[in-house]
Amino acid sequence: MVSLKLQKRLAAAVLKCGKNKIWLDPNEVVEISGANSRQSVRKLIKSGLIIRQPSKSHSRSRIRVRLAKKRLGRYTGYGKRKGTANARMPRKVLWMRRQRVLRRLLAKYRASDKIDSHLYHRLYLQAKGNTFKNKRVLVEHIHHEKAEAKRAKALAQAADAHKDKVRAARARKEARKAEKAAAARAAYDAHVTKQ
């Protein structure tokens, strides 16, 4: 058996790869053994007696399938968990996400004049104090607050209207009373003058 170490080394240098990647045609050993320069090795490469083997790939298809299933919630039971719940998804990150969502909503509502700056400030502090567990609860609370404010305003207006009505009725009553008293006085005076 002829040693082809030299040809393999030269081919690896020419093809810019490792010696293990080089394939020498076993049927053309005599012709290959005659090539002792880079030029002659290049000729053999051109004729296809020496080729560079393709890279062996490590398939990720099974991993892709598994990850797709994992996104659906498979393979995440107690046996697959290494860290604590807090290590896997920190409480602080959840808190920051929630605060940012709530604060963004409040800022949007304030900008569109759905809430005034006083209500904004009160709700901002309540959000900071962990009053609202999510966006839906905050929106419901805002609707409730606005409805309460509207109701209170309507009640105040109704009370004012009632007060005005009572005041006017009292004034009318006083005027009638005064009128009656004046008429009685006039009648009395007329009676006195007659005698």
Side-chain angles (χ1 to χ4, degrees), residues 84-98:
T84 62
N86 193 42
R88 288 160 64 84
M89 187 72 249
R91 285 188 293 270
K92 187 173 181 181
V93 170
L94 294 172
W95 170 260
M96 288 184 335
R97 278 184 195 167
R98 178 149 53 107

PDB file of all heavy atoms in Angstrom, residues 84-98:
ATOM      1  N   THR A  84     -35.868  27.670  41.818  1.00  0.00           N
ATOM      2  CA  THR A  84     -37.123  28.016  42.494  1.00  0.00           C
ATOM      3  C   THR A  84     -37.995  28.803  41.514  1.00  0.00           C
ATOM      4  O   THR A  84     -37.507  29.270  40.482  1.00  0.00           O
ATOM      5  CB  THR A  84     -36.855  28.905  43.720  1.00  0.00           C
ATOM      6  OG1 THR A  84     -36.247  30.125  43.259  1.00  0.00           O
ATOM      7  CG2 THR A  84     -35.945  28.220  44.718  1.00  0.00           C
ATOM      8  N   ALA A  85     -39.265  28.955  41.884  1.00  0.00           N
ATOM      9  CA  ALA A  85     -40.196  29.715  41.024  1.00  0.00           C
ATOM     10  C   ALA A  85     -39.670  31.135  40.819  1.00  0.00           C
ATOM     11  O   ALA A  85     -39.748  31.693  39.724  1.00  0.00           O
ATOM     12  CB  ALA A  85     -41.575  29.746  41.661  1.00  0.00           C
ATOM     13  N   ASN A  86     -39.100  31.694  41.890  1.00  0.00           N
ATOM     14  CA  ASN A  86     -38.586  33.070  41.816  1.00  0.00           C
ATOM     15  C   ASN A  86     -37.344  33.157  40.934  1.00  0.00           C
ATOM     16  O   ASN A  86     -37.117  34.163  40.272  1.00  0.00           O
ATOM     17  CB  ASN A  86     -38.267  33.586  43.217  1.00  0.00           C
ATOM     18  CG  ASN A  86     -38.030  35.074  43.233  1.00  0.00           C
ATOM     19  OD1 ASN A  86     -38.749  35.819  42.577  1.00  0.00           O
ATOM     20  ND2 ASN A  86     -37.019  35.513  43.946  1.00  0.00           N
ATOM     21  N   ALA A  87     -36.543  32.082  40.918  1.00  0.00           N
ATOM     22  CA  ALA A  87     -35.345  32.071  40.069  1.00  0.00           C
ATOM     23  C   ALA A  87     -35.744  31.930  38.595  1.00  0.00           C
ATOM     24  O   ALA A  87     -35.131  32.527  37.716  1.00  0.00           O
ATOM     25  CB  ALA A  87     -34.430  30.928  40.470  1.00  0.00           C
ATOM     26  N   ARG A  88     -36.794  31.146  38.350  1.00  0.00           N
ATOM     27  CA  ARG A  88     -37.237  30.913  36.975  1.00  0.00           C
ATOM     28  C   ARG A  88     -37.930  32.141  36.390  1.00  0.00           C
ATOM     29  O   ARG A  88     -37.725  32.487  35.230  1.00  0.00           O
ATOM     30  CB  ARG A  88     -38.181  29.716  36.932  1.00  0.00           C
ATOM     31  CG  ARG A  88     -37.477  28.385  37.133  1.00  0.00           C
ATOM     32  CD  ARG A  88     -38.440  27.301  37.567  1.00  0.00           C
ATOM     33  NE  ARG A  88     -39.442  26.994  36.555  1.00  0.00           N
ATOM     34  CZ  ARG A  88     -39.268  26.159  35.543  1.00  0.00           C
ATOM     35  NH1 ARG A  88     -38.113  25.528  35.418  1.00  0.00           N
ATOM     36  NH2 ARG A  88     -40.227  25.934  34.682  1.00  0.00           N
ATOM     37  N   MET A  89     -38.775  32.797  37.185  1.00  0.00           N
ATOM     38  CA  MET A  89     -39.454  34.027  36.744  1.00  0.00           C
ATOM     39  C   MET A  89     -39.519  34.965  37.938  1.00  0.00           C
ATOM     40  O   MET A  89     -40.417  34.858  38.772  1.00  0.00           O
ATOM     41  CB  MET A  89     -40.872  33.678  36.244  1.00  0.00           C
ATOM     42  CG  MET A  89     -41.608  34.834  35.618  1.00  0.00           C
ATOM     43  SD  MET A  89     -40.935  35.278  34.016  1.00  0.00           S
ATOM     44  CE  MET A  89     -40.206  36.851  34.366  1.00  0.00           C
ATOM     45  N   PRO A  90     -38.545  35.875  38.069  1.00  0.00           N
ATOM     46  CA  PRO A  90     -38.446  36.705  39.280  1.00  0.00           C
ATOM     47  C   PRO A  90     -39.704  37.535  39.557  1.00  0.00           C
ATOM     48  O   PRO A  90     -40.315  38.072  38.629  1.00  0.00           O
ATOM     49  CB  PRO A  90     -37.255  37.620  38.985  1.00  0.00           C
ATOM     50  CG  PRO A  90     -36.475  36.912  37.947  1.00  0.00           C
ATOM     51  CD  PRO A  90     -37.457  36.130  37.142  1.00  0.00           C
ATOM     52  N   ARG A  91     -40.053  37.591  40.832  1.00  0.00           N
ATOM     53  CA  ARG A  91     -41.226  38.393  41.245  1.00  0.00           C
ATOM     54  C   ARG A  91     -41.050  39.846  40.861  1.00  0.00           C
ATOM     55  O   ARG A  91     -41.992  40.526  40.494  1.00  0.00           O
ATOM     56  CB  ARG A  91     -41.408  38.287  42.769  1.00  0.00           C
ATOM     57  CG  ARG A  91     -41.983  36.966  43.224  1.00  0.00           C
ATOM     58  CD  ARG A  91     -42.320  36.994  44.690  1.00  0.00           C
ATOM     59  NE  ARG A  91     -41.145  37.104  45.541  1.00  0.00           N
ATOM     60  CZ  ARG A  91     -40.473  36.055  46.024  1.00  0.00           C
ATOM     61  NH1 ARG A  91     -40.857  34.828  45.747  1.00  0.00           N
ATOM     62  NH2 ARG A  91     -39.416  36.227  46.809  1.00  0.00           N
ATOM     63  N   LYS A  92     -39.819  40.311  40.954  1.00  0.00           N
ATOM     64  CA  LYS A  92     -39.542  41.725  40.656  1.00  0.00           C
ATOM     65  C   LYS A  92     -39.836  42.045  39.185  1.00  0.00           C
ATOM     66  O   LYS A  92     -40.385  43.104  38.870  1.00  0.00           O
ATOM     67  CB  LYS A  92     -38.087  42.038  40.965  1.00  0.00           C
ATOM     68  CG  LYS A  92     -37.758  43.504  40.839  1.00  0.00           C
ATOM     69  CD  LYS A  92     -36.374  43.837  41.300  1.00  0.00           C
ATOM     70  CE  LYS A  92     -36.125  45.322  41.174  1.00  0.00           C
ATOM     71  NZ  LYS A  92     -34.777  45.693  41.596  1.00  0.00           N
ATOM     72  N   VAL A  93     -39.479  41.119  38.308  1.00  0.00           N
ATOM     73  CA  VAL A  93     -39.735  41.328  36.871  1.00  0.00           C
ATOM     74  C   VAL A  93     -41.243  41.406  36.618  1.00  0.00           C
ATOM     75  O   VAL A  93     -41.716  42.278  35.880  1.00  0.00           O
ATOM     76  CB  VAL A  93     -39.103  40.182  36.049  1.00  0.00           C
ATOM     77  CG1 VAL A  93     -39.545  40.228  34.596  1.00  0.00           C
ATOM     78  CG2 VAL A  93     -37.589  40.244  36.139  1.00  0.00           C
ATOM     79  N   LEU A  94     -41.999  40.482  37.259  1.00  0.00           N
ATOM     80  CA  LEU A  94     -43.461  40.508  37.118  1.00  0.00           C
ATOM     81  C   LEU A  94     -44.030  41.820  37.629  1.00  0.00           C
ATOM     82  O   LEU A  94     -44.920  42.421  37.012  1.00  0.00           O
ATOM     83  CB  LEU A  94     -44.082  39.332  37.881  1.00  0.00           C
ATOM     84  CG  LEU A  94     -43.758  37.931  37.341  1.00  0.00           C
ATOM     85  CD1 LEU A  94     -44.268  36.866  38.288  1.00  0.00           C
ATOM     86  CD2 LEU A  94     -44.333  37.736  35.955  1.00  0.00           C
ATOM     87  N   TRP A  95     -43.510  42.282  38.779  1.00  0.00           N
ATOM     88  CA  TRP A  95     -43.963  43.551  39.380  1.00  0.00           C
ATOM     89  C   TRP A  95     -43.684  44.711  38.425  1.00  0.00           C
ATOM     90  O   TRP A  95     -44.546  45.565  38.190  1.00  0.00           O
ATOM     91  CB  TRP A  95     -43.249  43.757  40.708  1.00  0.00           C
ATOM     92  CG  TRP A  95     -43.460  45.111  41.289  1.00  0.00           C
ATOM     93  CD1 TRP A  95     -42.623  46.168  41.248  1.00  0.00           C
ATOM     94  CD2 TRP A  95     -44.625  45.577  42.003  1.00  0.00           C
ATOM     95  NE1 TRP A  95     -43.169  47.250  41.882  1.00  0.00           N
ATOM     96  CE2 TRP A  95     -44.396  46.917  42.344  1.00  0.00           C
ATOM     97  CE3 TRP A  95     -45.827  44.978  42.372  1.00  0.00           C
ATOM     98  CZ2 TRP A  95     -45.320  47.676  43.050  1.00  0.00           C
ATOM     99  CZ3 TRP A  95     -46.749  45.742  43.061  1.00  0.00           C
ATOM    100  CH2 TRP A  95     -46.501  47.061  43.397  1.00  0.00           C
ATOM    101  N   MET A  96     -42.460  44.745  37.873  1.00  0.00           N
ATOM    102  CA  MET A  96     -42.094  45.845  36.971  1.00  0.00           C
ATOM    103  C   MET A  96     -42.978  45.850  35.734  1.00  0.00           C
ATOM    104  O   MET A  96     -43.449  46.910  35.298  1.00  0.00           O
ATOM    105  CB  MET A  96     -40.622  45.724  36.557  1.00  0.00           C
ATOM    106  CG  MET A  96     -39.679  46.071  37.685  1.00  0.00           C
ATOM    107  SD  MET A  96     -37.913  46.070  37.325  1.00  0.00           S
ATOM    108  CE  MET A  96     -37.684  45.001  35.984  1.00  0.00           C
ATOM    109  N   ARG A  97     -43.234  44.655  35.192  1.00  0.00           N
ATOM    110  CA  ARG A  97     -44.102  44.563  34.009  1.00  0.00           C
ATOM    111  C   ARG A  97     -45.497  45.103  34.320  1.00  0.00           C
ATOM    112  O   ARG A  97     -46.058  45.882  33.555  1.00  0.00           O
ATOM    113  CB  ARG A  97     -44.235  43.112  33.566  1.00  0.00           C
ATOM    114  CG  ARG A  97     -43.086  42.627  32.724  1.00  0.00           C
ATOM    115  CD  ARG A  97     -43.350  41.218  32.257  1.00  0.00           C
ATOM    116  NE  ARG A  97     -42.143  40.604  31.751  1.00  0.00           N
ATOM    117  CZ  ARG A  97     -42.016  39.308  31.515  1.00  0.00           C
ATOM    118  NH1 ARG A  97     -43.021  38.493  31.751  1.00  0.00           N
ATOM    119  NH2 ARG A  97     -40.898  38.815  31.051  1.00  0.00           N
ATOM    120  N   ARG A  98     -46.028  44.686  35.476  1.00  0.00           N
ATOM    121  CA  ARG A  98     -47.387  45.101  35.848  1.00  0.00           C
ATOM    122  C   ARG A  98     -47.437  46.615  36.054  1.00  0.00           C
ATOM    123  O   ARG A  98     -48.348  47.294  35.561  1.00  0.00           O
ATOM    124  CB  ARG A  98     -47.806  44.377  37.136  1.00  0.00           C
ATOM    125  CG  ARG A  98     -49.181  44.772  37.619  1.00  0.00           C
ATOM    126  CD  ARG A  98     -49.882  43.641  38.335  1.00  0.00           C
ATOM    127  NE  ARG A  98     -49.099  43.064  39.395  1.00  0.00           N
ATOM    128  CZ  ARG A  98     -49.335  43.240  40.705  1.00  0.00           C
ATOM    129  NH1 ARG A  98     -50.347  43.995  41.091  1.00  0.00           N
ATOM    130  NH2 ARG A  98     -48.606  42.663  41.619  1.00  0.00           N
TER     131      ARG A  98
END
